[in-house]
Amino acid sequence: MPKRLSIAIDGPAGSGKSTVAKLVADRLGLTCVDSGAMYRGVAWRALQAGLSPESQPQAIGELAERLHMEFRRGEDNVARLFIDDEDASQAIRTPEVGKMSSVVSAIPEVRRHLSRRQREWGLNGGVVMEGRDIQTVVLPEADVKVFLTASDNERARRRLKDLEAQGVTTTLDEVLRDIQARDRRDSTRAVAPLSKAPDAIEICTDGMTIEDVVSTIVDLARTVEPE
Ligand code: DC
């Protein structure tokens, strides 16, 4: 079977990559893999188990290896993350899990187990995979590599809107501080820090509509043949 297209999209928190990746995947008939959801899944389970990333990194690494994770499409065609057969899609979206996911994602063993699985899913193509290290580490050979950015204020505004829609009460200032702390952790960790691959195309989404961003990536994808 000929290899199918693979698209890697990375970017900081609130850059819009999840929304954009889903729409690009729908438009091109590809499967969307949200790699951040997997880090959130490990964080959620680590919190439930009362594990500390500072004193028990090894136990969290073992948890990452053990957890069974699967994306299943619901009737609404939205992919949901199942962890050990339990739908975790909502539980992993809280600010507490978001913060913890950034901390556990700096544990090398956690990264090793999750990126191995992501790579296995992506190797045959047919995917839009989004995260922090997809174009640099997980799928460096992807046919299309995109690095999405936006200003801190714009990202905080978007994140606040998402959180309010989920019924979470917070302020723009608090969200901005959270985003900046997360950026610092994600970009300065020793293993696979967030960075743009030299051959990735950077798109700053300030002032662009979602449709603008999606069609830019779809147009890029249509100009390349899978290798
Ligand atoms: O995209 P997100 O906010 O759902 O990601 C949650 C955290 O997971 C993020 O702070 C960093 C980490 N992450 C990562 O280290 N590598 C990835 N490929 C995806 C996410």
Side-chain angles (χ1 to χ4, degrees):
M1 219 167 66
K3 182 180 172 295
R4 298 180 63 214
L5 195 71
S6 56
I7 301 181
I9 303 179
D10 287 324
S15 57
K17 57 188 187 313
S18 300
T19 310
V20 165
K22 280 192 196 86
L23 291 168
V24 169
D26 280 350
R27 210 155 300 173
L28 295 171
L30 305 172
T31 302
C32 185
V33 179
D34 170 0
S35 67
M38 298 169 72
Y39 288 94
R40 284 172 180 266
V42 172
W44 175 58
R45 276 305 178 84
L47 282 168
Q48 278 182 335
L51 293 172
S52 150
E54 287 76 31
S55 57
Q56 296 164 294
Q58 197 188 338
I60 300 181
E62 285 162 12
L63 182 71
E65 182 177 19
R66 221 174 33 240
L67 286 185
H68 180 264
M69 294 195 200
E70 199 183 340
F71 289 97
R72 295 186 201 155
R73 265 182 195 278
E75 278 171 15
D76 51 4
N77 212 27
V78 172
R80 309 182 78 79
L81 178 67
F82 281 76
I83 299 182
D84 294 337
D85 252 356
E86 183 181 350
D87 185 350
S89 318
Q90 285 237 256
I92 61 170
R93 294 292 153 200
T94 64
E96 188 193 14
V97 172
K99 210 172 286 173
M100 179 73 156
S101 65
S102 168
V103 178
V104 304
S105 72
I107 301 172
E109 283 300 283
V110 170
R111 301 208 70 80
R112 195 162 68 81
H113 294 303
L114 297 194
S115 36
R116 180 180 41 78
R117 289 193 218 180
Q118 291 154 7
R119 189 163 168 74
E120 282 166 10
W121 287 338
L123 267 186
N124 290 325
V127 291
V128 178
M129 199 175 289
E130 54 104 344
R132 300 289 196 292
D133 63 342
I134 310 303
Q135 24 106 64
T136 49
V137 175
V138 176
L139 295 176
E141 69 284 41
D143 303 299
V144 177
K145 299 200 230 175
V146 174
F147 192 74
L148 280 192
T149 61
S151 63
D152 291 5
N153 277 323
E154 176 66 30
R155 292 189 290 124
R157 270 196 297 274
R158 291 178 190 163
R159 198 34 70 95
L160 179 66
K161 227 164 114 189
D162 287 350
L163 289 170
E164 282 174 349
Q166 290 168 38
V168 177
T169 318
T170 179
T171 63
L172 187 64
D173 261 5
E174 200 176 333
V175 177
L176 182 62
R177 271 199 306 277
D178 261 13
I179 278 192
Q180 289 171 332
R182 201 124 81 84
D183 284 355
R184 251 193 317 279
R185 259 196 313 267
D186 294 345
S187 318
T188 56
R189 66 178 176 229
V191 187
L194 171 70
S195 68
K196 174 187 160 310
D199 56 344
I201 289 162
E202 180 162 345
I203 304 176
C204 175
T205 62
D206 276 12
M208 287 176 87
T209 63
I210 291 171
E211 177 51 34
D212 289 338
V213 184
V214 171
S215 49
T216 304
I217 300 174
V218 168
D219 289 348
L220 272 172
R222 293 202 165 122
T223 62
V224 298
E225 288 289 328
E227 279 170 15

